[in-house]
Amino acid sequence: QQQVKQSPQSLIVQKGGISIINCAYENTAFDYFPWYQQFPGKGPALLIAIRPDVSEKKEGRFTISFNKSAKQFSLHIMDSQPGDSATYFCAASPTGTYKYIFGTGTRLKVLA
Amino acid sequence: NAGVTQTPKFQVLKTGQSMTLQCAQDMNHEYMSWYRQDPGMGLRLIHYSVGAGITDQGEVPNGYNVSRSTTEDFPLRLLSAAPSQTSVYFCASSYDPGQSYEQYFGPGTRLTVT
């Protein structure tokens, strides 16, 4: 059963726009929330990650917003570029385990 | 460093055949794992290992075996391939995900079972 729900499935954004991808989780014992970026034919690569004691983390154009009470976290891509076109996965790691539970992915297309 | 390498890149099997997907890393990572990626399903954990000689099951372990005789290698064995095992398989490694370190993924193996 999927414990991390990701939306939307696909997203089309104009160049320079803001891309927003959302994830919700059920297990309150998660303690690490990474976002992975995957280009066609490649393996996923870590983009940015956050712990639940922080409400926001920013790295360049990428920001994670985290709402612990709502059990939701989101990825914001500012000034989206065609090179950002990829599939994005959120994930969550249960405390004290070696397991990552991934969302179902969002295919982002940024139009030039 | 080569990072995480996987072989083969592509494989076609007939139902009932067995095969081993190879995974190796040269980063001296203790933790290694296998995922499968299916459309609309994200990545699902098959098996993982926290060090040489230690393995455990993930979310979807049925039909797969693993072993970890060295730190570098973590092969995944399909015992009797079924069409439901058609998927893209990714191997990943990490220093210690208990400390929330990054997982490094290999390039994947695309497997088709006919």
Side-chain angles (χ1 to χ4, degrees), chain B residues 63-84:
Chain B
Y64 307 95
N65 270 359
V66 293
S67 60
R68 185 95 179 270
S69 57
T70 67
T71 299
E72 295 77 21
D73 301 297
F74 190 43
L76 178 72
R77 282 183 289 277
L78 278 70
L79 309 173
S80 177
S84 61

Side-chain angles (χ1 to χ4, degrees), chain A residues 30-60:
Chain A
F30 292 144
D31 70 347
Y32 179 64
F33 301 88
W35 284 90
Y36 283 81
Q37 179 187 56
Q38 184 181 30
F39 293 104
K42 305 292 185 183
L46 181 65
L47 188 62
I48 187 172
I50 197 168
R51 290 180 178 269
D53 55 350
V54 176
S55 62
E56 185 175 283
K57 183 175 181 179
K58 183 176 181 179
E59 291 184 0

Side-chain angles (χ1 to χ4, degrees), chain B residues 10-41:
Chain B
F10 302 94
Q11 183 71 48
V12 179
L13 290 178
K14 292 187 185 323
T15 297
Q17 288 184 316
S18 62
M19 79 159 294
T20 299
L21 279 63
Q22 301 292 343
C23 174
Q25 52 89 11
D26 61 358
M27 297 175 282
N28 202 32
H29 287 170
E30 287 297 321
Y31 176 83
M32 296 185 73
S33 56
W34 276 101
Y35 293 87
R36 59 177 288 172
Q37 183 176 23
D38 302 292
M41 301 290 289

